Amino acid sequence: MALKIKGLRWWMIGLLTLGTVMNYLARSSLAVAAPTVMKDLHITTQQYGWITGAFLVLYPIGAPITGYLMDRIGLRLGFLLCGVMWSIVCMLHGLADGWVGLFVLRGLLGLAEASFIPAGMRAAAFWFPSKERALAAGIFNIGTSIGAILAPPLIAWSILRYNWETAFVIAGALGLVWGVLWFVFYRHPTDHPALSQAESDYINEGRVVDAAADARKPNLGSILRQRNFWGIALPRFFADPVWGTIVFWMPLYLNQARGFDLKTIAATAWLPFVAADIGCLMGGTVSVWLNKHFKITIFNGKRVVFTIGAIIMTAMCGVGFVKDPMMAIFLLCLGGFAHQTLSVTVISMSADLFQRNEVATVTGLAGLSAGIGNLLFTLVIGTFVTAVGYAPFFVALGLGDLIGAVILWTVVKPHITGTATPSPVQMHKRAGVEVNRTANA
C-alpha cells in the first residue's frame, strides 16, 4: 500500500507556488536590469514601452490558449511545457543585441508565462473544497511576489558580479530545475497514490462528483455568452494594470523620477511585493471569516473583500505627488497589498461559478481581458510618460478598481449556494428537461 501524506493538497499547491516563483523571477528580470540594458543597448523609454508591450500583447493571448491546453491534456504535462518554454526564452534574453530582439523574446515569454493563473485555479478547483479555494489562490499568488522580491537582489548581484546577459541565464536555469520537480512530484488527485480517502472526501465535500463532466471538453462559446464570465473578466481588466506597473515600470520609475541607482532599487523595490504577499492571504482568510461570524456566503464575502481592496487602492493616487521617496514606496506597498487582496478573490471566482473542466479555460479567458487592460495601459505610459510624468497614471491606477467593484456587484449572479455550478444530474432534476451538457446554469 502506498504511503498516504496528510494534507497532500497543501504540498501540491506549494509545488505550484514554486513554479509561480520561477515564473515571476523570469518575468521581473528585465524590469530590474532595464537601466543597465537600456544604456548598453541604447534603448529609449518609448522602445522600452514597446518591449514590455510585446509581453502584454501575447500574455492575454497566451492565457486562454494555455488554459484550454491544460483543460485538454492535463495540468501536469501542460504546465510543464509552459515552464520549460518560459525558462528557455528567459535565458535567450542574454543573446539580444537590440530592442527588436528583446521585443520578440518578451512576446514569447508572455505567451508561456500566462499559464500560471489558469494552472493555479485548475489545481485549486480539483485539489480544494470551495471554502479553501480563495486561500489556495492566495497561496499560489504569493509566488508572484516572492519571485518579484527575489529578482532585484539576484539580478542586481548577477549584473554587478558578471553582466546582464548572465543574469537572464541564471533566472531561466532556475526555472528548468523547477520543471524537473514538477514532473516528478505532481499528479492529478485521482491519480496520486499518496492521497488518502479521507482527504479526497474532504476535497469533494458538498459536491456531486461527475467524472464525465470533469473530463468533458470546455465549450468556449457557452462560456463567452455568460454574464458571470464578463462579471469577473471586466474587473480584472481594470485591476491588472496596477500589477503590470509595479512589475514592469516601478524600477524604472524609481530610477527616472526618484533618482534611485541600481543598489537603491535592489534595496527597496522588493517592499511592495512583501505587502502583496500579505494581501494574497487576505482574500481567502477574510471571506471565510465573514462566512463564519456573519453568515455571509463565501462568494459575497469575496465581493466584500474586493470592495475593501478597491478602497485601499485609492492610496495609489498619491504616489506621483508626495515629495518623500519613502512615502512613495509606502503608497506603492499599499497598492501591492490592495491589488493582491482583491485580485486573488476575483481570480478564485472562476471555480465558484463554472464546472471544474472549464476553470482553467475561464481563468485564461479572464486573463485575456486583464492582459488587454495591462497592454493598453503600458503602451500609454510608454508613449506619454516623458511628456506628462508618472503622476496621472498613478491616479488612474488608484481609481480603476472602484469600477471593477461596481461590476462585480451588479453583473455577477452567483448560484444560491455560492459554490460551484450544480452537476448536470442536479440541473436535470431541477429543470425537468434534458440538460445541455456543455453549458452552465
Side-chain angles (χ1 to χ4, degrees):
M1 179 180 295
L3 176 67
K4 304 300 181 182
I5 299 176
K6 185 177 181 180
L8 182 62
R9 64 192 186 281
W10 300 109
W11 288 98
M12 293 299 100
I13 206 69
L15 186 59
L16 192 142
T17 301
L18 183 59
T20 306
V21 171
M22 298 301 105
N23 181 296
Y24 257 74
L25 178 60
R27 183 182 310 197
S28 303
S29 297
L30 180 60
V32 179
T36 303
V37 174
M38 291 172 68
K39 181 179 180 180
D40 192 25
L41 299 183
H42 308 290
I43 295 173
T44 66
T45 302
Q46 185 173 15
Q47 289 170 339
Y48 181 75
W50 282 102
I51 292 169
T52 58
F55 180 97
L56 297 173
V57 166
L58 286 184
Y59 186 92
I61 295 173
I65 292 175
T66 56
Y68 188 76
L69 173 71
M70 288 181 284
D71 276 337
R72 290 301 306 272
I73 70 174
L75 182 57
R76 183 182 180 224
L77 180 58
F79 200 33
L80 173 68
L81 293 175
C82 295
V84 170
M85 179 176 173
W86 83 56
S87 298
I88 292 175
V89 171
C90 180
M91 297 172 75
L92 291 175
H93 277 54
L95 299 178
D97 58 0
W99 81 270
V100 175
L102 286 175
F103 176 86
V104 173
L105 290 169
R106 294 305 285 184
L108 293 175
L109 192 70
L111 187 66
E113 290 205 333
S115 59
F116 92 92
I117 292 181
M121 283 317 305
R122 180 174 171 86
F126 280 96
W127 274 100
F128 290 84
S130 175
K131 61 185 178 183
E132 291 183 348
R133 287 185 197 134
L135 180 58
I139 290 173
F140 80 74
N141 265 280
I142 284 178
T144 64
S145 301
I146 295 175
I149 290 169
L150 292 176
L154 176 63
I155 300 304
W157 173 82
S158 300
I159 293 173
L160 295 173
R161 178 68 175 82
Y162 302 103
N163 48 56
W164 65 264
E165 294 91 342
T166 303
F168 288 109
V169 174
I170 292 173
L174 290 172
L176 294 178
V177 173
W178 166 82
V180 174
L181 296 175
W182 175 260
F183 187 74
V184 171
F185 293 109
Y186 184 83
R187 297 290 187 280
H188 190 276
T190 57
D191 300 325
H192 208 299
L195 179 65
S196 68
Q197 185 60 50
E199 186 170 9
S200 178
D201 292 341
Y202 176 74
I203 290 170
N204 293 299
E205 185 178 56
R207 172 188 291 275
V208 177
V209 180
D210 188 340
D214 285 346
R216 195 176 301 125
K217 181 173 70 173
N219 188 310
L220 299 178
S222 172
I223 292 170
L224 293 173
R225 288 192 297 269
Q226 296 181 60
R227 63 183 292 161
N228 281 348
F229 166 74
W230 294 105
I232 61 177
L234 291 176
R236 290 198 60 192
F237 174 88
F238 291 104
D240 266 41
V242 173
W243 195 243
T245 300
I246 291 175
V247 172
F248 294 114
W249 287 93
M250 183 178 65
L252 198 59
Y253 163 74
L254 294 176
N255 174 256
Q256 294 182 338
R258 298 292 178 175
F260 287 18
D261 59 20
L262 184 61
K263 291 182 179 180
T264 309
I265 290 173
T268 57
W270 56 274
L271 291 171
F273 298 104
V274 173
D277 276 346
I278 301 172
C280 282
L281 300 178
M282 290 299 292
T285 303
V286 174
S287 59
V288 171
W289 183 82
L290 290 172
N291 175 257
K292 180 179 179 180
H293 294 281
F294 296 96
K295 306 305 178 185
I296 298 175
T297 64
I298 293 292
F299 191 88
N300 280 338
K302 291 179 181 180
R303 292 201 277 200
V304 170
V305 172
F306 186 101
T307 304
I308 293 172
I311 294 171
I312 297 173
M313 184 61 72
T314 59
M316 286 277 284
C317 294
V319 171
F321 297 102
V322 296
K323 294 182 179 181
D324 185 354
M326 289 300 101
M327 179 56 70
I329 293 290
F330 174 72
L331 295 178
L332 287 167
C333 289
L334 281 181
F337 170 82
H339 174 77
Q340 289 298 71
T341 296
L342 61 85
S343 180
V344 297
T345 61
V346 71
I347 288 171
S348 70
M349 288 177 184
S350 60
D352 298 324
L353 299 170
F354 294 86
Q355 293 277 17
R356 293 195 295 185
N357 66 302
E358 298 173 323
V359 167
T361 303
V362 170
T363 306
L365 288 169
L368 173 61
S369 175
I372 292 173
N374 225 335
L375 169 64
L376 294 177
F377 199 83
T378 199
L379 289 179
V380 172
I381 289 180
T383 302
F384 295 108
V385 73
T386 302
V388 302
Y390 285 92
F393 298 105
F394 285 117
V395 172
L397 292 174
L399 300 178
D401 286 315
L402 294 176
I403 301 173
V406 172
I407 293 171
L408 202 58
W409 282 102
T410 58
V411 176
V412 175
K413 298 296 182 183
H415 304 291
I416 294 174
T417 59
T419 58
T421 306
S423 71
V425 174
Q426 291 172 311
M427 292 168 62
H428 179 83
K429 289 180 178 179
R430 294 175 186 178
V433 296
E434 182 178 358
V435 177
N436 181 342
R437 299 177 65 87
T438 62
N440 291 294

